[in-house]
């Protein structure tokens, strides 16, 4: 029951979390945002995907950068991958979890007989605020519908002048 509750909690986070075996690149756990980011048809620009349950880069030129980050985790060093695709990049933190002992992993389950070493991947948040958070905040603060729309545009990264143009109002109104 506790494990199921922990999984439910991790799925509520807006950040993708994935645990992989750093030797074999085999995925051991991913919350829903991480599964979404790693799906082969994902529109998120993480530069990473899963192939047969193993972590891979979408572009061959980035494979060495991934392997270096995973090697660093074995030495208890953190890393940051920036492996975006043509239209943009995003960052993925790679952190060591080598002290983790998985109960269902035998000592020789690492690649080529190496002891298992684990890495936590933390995916960058894809958007500042989701629509549910914006709606809840707007309702709690008593914002009007127009004010909530302005807030949503700000969260999407628009400038006040762009918001004014979009709504056909003066910038002082925004």
């Amino acid at each position: 029951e506790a494990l199921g509750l922990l999984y439910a909690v991790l799925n509520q986070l807006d950040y993708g979390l994935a645990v992989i075996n750093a030797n074999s690149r085999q995925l051991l756990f991913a919350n829903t945002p991480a599964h979404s980011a790693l799906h082969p048809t994902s529109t998120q620009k993480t530069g990473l995907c899963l192939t047969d349950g193993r972590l891979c880069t979408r572009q061959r030129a980035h494979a060495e950068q991934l392997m270096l980050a995973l090697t660093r985790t074995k030495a208890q060093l953190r890393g940051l991958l920036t492996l975006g695709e043509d239209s943009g990049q995003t960052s993925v933190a790679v952190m060591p979890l080598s002290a983790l002992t998985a109960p269902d992993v035998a000592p020789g389950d690492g690649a080529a007989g190496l002891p298992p070493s684990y890495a936590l991947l933390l995916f960058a948040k894809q958007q500042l605020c989701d629509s549910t958070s914006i709606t809840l905040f707007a309702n709690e603060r008593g914002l009007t519908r127009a004010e909530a729309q302005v807030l949503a545009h700000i969260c999407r990264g628009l400038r006040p002048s762009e918001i004014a143009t979009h709504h056909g109002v003066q910038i002082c109104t925004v």
Side-chain angles (χ1 to χ4, degrees), residues 47-114:
L48 298 171
C49 66
L50 288 176
T51 303
D52 298 323
R54 291 171 34 110
L55 186 69
C56 299
T57 58
R58 292 183 187 266
Q59 297 179 11
R60 288 181 191 241
H62 294 146
E64 186 175 332
Q65 188 179 352
L66 172 61
M67 294 312 295
L68 177 61
L70 294 176
T71 299
R72 289 174 49 87
T73 65
K74 296 174 203 175
Q76 299 301 302
L77 299 172
R78 294 177 176 211
L80 187 66
L81 294 174
T82 305
L83 302 174
E85 298 181 20
D86 300 332
S87 61
Q89 295 182 330
T90 191
S91 297
V92 178
V94 183
M95 297 171 274
L97 289 178
S98 62
L100 178 69
T101 305
D104 58 343
V105 178
D109 277 358
L114 298 172

